[in-house]
Amino acid sequence: MVDVAVQRDVHTLRTTASGRVPAGEAVLQHHDDTLKGTGRRRLTTFAEPGLGGPVVAFTELFWLNGQLKIMVQHGTVVHPEHRRQALGRWIKVANLYAARWVNPAARWVRAGNTDDNIGRLAINRALGFLPYDTHSDWEIDVQAVRAYLARPG
Ligand SMILES: CC(C)(COP(=O)(O)OP(=O)(O)OC[C@H]1O[C@@H](n2cnc3c(N)ncnc32)[C@H](O)[C@@H]1OP(=O)(O)O)[C@@H](O)C(=O)NCCC(=O)NCCS
């Protein structure tokens, strides 16, 4: 159980890291209700520089009540002013340790990584994650599609 102030801090850190605007508490409550209602669980480890916040780093694992063997590593964010001090690495380790007690049935942890996220790649490699599957996202300009479709013949 994470208190409301911590949840709000975690949410602010996550949204600002991805350039989005933080949502209000009603929306956060709705996210939590949806999580519970769809049979999902979340384990969060967070770091505060002193008692009472603010949260400067967090990491999350998710899993389904109906599929305990697989846990999914979601966001890990460290506030820009606190990066490169091993916080990212150690909160992930702490969360994985905690997972052993919270979901002892877990056998696999899945994490996603883009090639250009050097920090996340370094941490995942150091923890022993191995490549399992790869995929490419493709993008095309709509104008190029229109030009292709307008070709004669
Ligand atoms: C990725 C992120 C969580 C790393 O947090 P961090 O606390 O700075 O990472 P650590 O200090 O634990 O770094 C551990 C190792 O990873 C590597 N590393 C981390 N950030 C790096 C970077 N920007 N460039 C190169 N190597 C990096 C280093 O090897 C580092 O060890 P070292 O400092 O002893 O050389 C942080 O940069 C972040 O919040 N980024 C934005 C959000 C994001 O991309 N999150 C990940 C996906 S959800």
Side-chain angles (χ1 to χ4, degrees), residues 17 74-78 82-90 117-120 122-123:
H74 270 243
T76 302
V77 179
V78 175
H82 297 269
R83 288 183 188 165
R84 299 307 292 269
Q85 296 170 53
L87 259 183
R89 180 169 28 200
W90 287 113
N117 196 329
I118 310 293
R120 183 160 36 151
I123 293 172

Side-chain angles (χ1 to χ4, degrees), residues 45-65:
T45 290
F46 59 91
E48 299 174 335
L51 267 184
V55 171
V56 296
F58 75 90
T59 187
E60 293 173 319
L61 288 163
F62 285 80
W63 67 98
L64 293 166
N65 285 329

